[in-house]
Amino acid sequence: MSTLWHVLGAGSLGTLWATRLARAGLPVRLILRDQTRLASYLAAPGLTLVEQGQAHTYPVIAETPDSREPIRRLLVACKAYDAEGAIAQLAQRLTPDAELILLQNGLGSQDAVAAQLPHARCIFASSTEGAFRESNGRVVFAGHGYTWLGDANHPLPPLWLDELHAAGIPHEWSADILTRLWRKLALNCAINPLTVLHHCRNGGLHDHQCEVATLCAELTQLLECCGQPAAAQDLQTEVERVIQATAANYSSMYQDVANGRRTEISYLLGYACRAALRHQLNLPHLQQLQVRLVNHLNAHGLPSD
Ligand code: NAP
């Protein structure tokens, strides 16, 4: 009998994972925020995944954090700013051999969770899959991609990677997950805040090449100083490639701001600026970018942390 997959958060990625695991016949349990969320979830027939225009509904069982069942395997699928608080609510239920998979973007939330749970195995993930919530309980699989998983403290992959394979979740065990997370953070810092400030699609940054190049130079310095030389390699070339390849897209930060949603700034640009400060690195353009972004968020009534 396979271990029960607890999935914390029935948002875009949580639903994308839970439905594919359930489709493969694996046992899955959703953990929803509170009784109100549970009641509205129970009013629907389950979780719906829309893939290539086809919708399929899976009757995944759900519970709230105060349920008593022990948790051995937990997929943490909330936003970075919610992860630490959400895990604190579940700490009592985690078994001594519990494993957590942390899907959060950026850096900082993973270490905060791991510090809370010194005995649990925390596996970090970096995903290029894309999904969005059409309505509560209904998620559209918008972009196929890959998920890299890794554990900086423990190089051996867990046996349950076979279950991801069975569920059709494209993945790879990565020996250098921190390099991947840092690289993604740097790409995000070079692109996303500027799309918000210039109010443009990613391709609109073609008109701001100097600004992008200056940020890439500072981010390269930061990565090297933080012991991440592999993440720094040819950063500017990759940023330009991503801008070109995703020219028609709005960045996730742009979409958050446009929809009045809290951004993950503190785990992306904020994390980068705090790291620079810790290393006493003077990166004026990156710091100025943070000031401009914080002012912009405040002006739109959005949190800047
Ligand atoms: P999302 O759609 O906003 O979903 C987050 C879910 O977490 C929401 O359903 C939220 O519940 C739930 N949640 C928050 N606190 C909770 C708690 N204490 N207990 C139970 N549930 C809780 O976010 P997402 O887009 O899936 O993103 C999750 C992470 O993956 C982010 O770090 C994001 O950057 C990263 N990521 C996302 C994508 C993507 O395509 N979506 C791609 C790559 C990486 P409520 O509905 O009650 O607020």
Side-chain angles (χ1 to χ4, degrees):
M1 177 70 183
S2 30
T3 300
L4 181 59
W5 283 84
H6 277 94
V7 176
L8 173 75
S12 309
L13 279 200
T15 300
L16 187 57
W17 279 63
T19 49
R20 288 180 295 180
L21 292 167
R23 181 168 64 192
L26 294 161
V28 186
R29 186 74 45 90
L30 282 180
I31 303 177
L32 304 177
R33 195 185 279 277
D34 53 28
Q35 286 297 338
T36 313
R37 287 282 195 274
L38 182 60
S40 69
Y41 176 74
L42 293 176
L47 282 182
T48 300
L49 182 67
V50 183
E51 210 174 346
Q52 287 163 346
Q54 302 270 1
H56 291 282
T57 300
Y58 303 88
V60 178
I61 296 172
E63 63 188 28
T64 57
D66 54 12
S67 162
R68 300 173 96 104
E69 198 171 12
I71 299 172
R72 279 188 66 195
R73 187 180 300 152
L74 180 65
L75 181 76
V76 184
C78 57
K79 287 280 170 60
Y81 47 74
D82 279 327
E84 200 178 346
I87 295 303
Q89 283 182 294
L90 296 175
Q92 297 299 323
R93 294 179 55 191
L94 294 169
T95 61
D97 60 346
E99 291 180 302
L100 286 80
I101 301 106
L102 306 174
L103 287 178
Q104 288 60 50
N105 206 357
L107 282 163
S109 70
Q110 302 90 339
D111 283 342
V113 168
Q116 260 182 303
L117 306 170
H119 303 297
R121 183 176 194 194
C122 290
I123 290 170
F124 297 4
S126 177
S127 183
T128 58
E129 292 196 307
F132 65 88
R133 252 194 287 192
E134 211 169 48
S135 57
N136 270 344
R138 188 178 169 97
V139 162
V140 178
F141 195 173
H144 288 262
Y146 234 79
T147 301
W148 284 270
L149 301 150
D151 177 351
N153 298 317
H154 202 303
L156 287 185
L159 294 174
W160 47 257
L161 289 189
D162 283 350
E163 297 191 3
L164 300 191
H165 189 69
I169 298 175
H171 66 279
E172 196 175 297
W173 184 251
S174 166
D176 55 359
I177 191 69
L178 288 178
T179 304
R180 286 197 175 274
L181 285 164
W182 270 105
R183 178 74 160 191
K184 195 169 175 211
L185 178 140
L187 288 164
N188 186 300
C189 289
I191 297 173
N192 294 20
L194 287 181
T195 64
V196 173
L197 294 168
H198 293 301
H199 202 70
C200 64
R201 295 175 197 263
N202 290 356
L205 298 185
H206 285 311
D207 297 339
H208 303 278
Q209 279 175 1
C210 275
E211 214 175 356
V212 172
T214 310
L215 286 174
C216 286
E218 291 193 357
L219 286 161
T220 299
Q221 247 186 293
L222 176 67
L223 292 169
E224 282 167 354
C225 193
C226 290
Q228 296 294 333
Q233 252 178 16
D234 301 324
L235 180 65
Q236 188 182 336
T237 309
E238 193 172 354
V239 166
E240 283 163 4
R241 188 193 59 75
V242 171
I243 290 173
Q244 182 71 37
T246 61
N249 298 357
Y250 286 111
S251 73
S252 54
M253 191 177 271
Y254 179 100
Q255 291 179 46
D256 282 340
V257 175
N259 291 303
R261 290 190 303 246
R262 182 175 175 182
T263 68
E264 295 182 298
I265 174 179
S266 195
Y267 303 87
L268 296 159
L269 185 55
Y271 186 89
C273 288
R274 288 193 300 280
L277 205 64
R278 231 180 11 256
H279 289 281
Q280 298 179 325
L281 251 188
N282 183 28
L283 302 177
H285 295 88
L286 203 65
Q287 271 137 10
Q288 188 54 29
L289 184 69
Q290 189 190 25
V291 171
R292 286 161 68 202
L293 186 60
V294 164
N295 288 341
H296 185 93
L297 295 176
N298 289 340
H300 286 74
L302 290 171
S304 52
D305 61 349

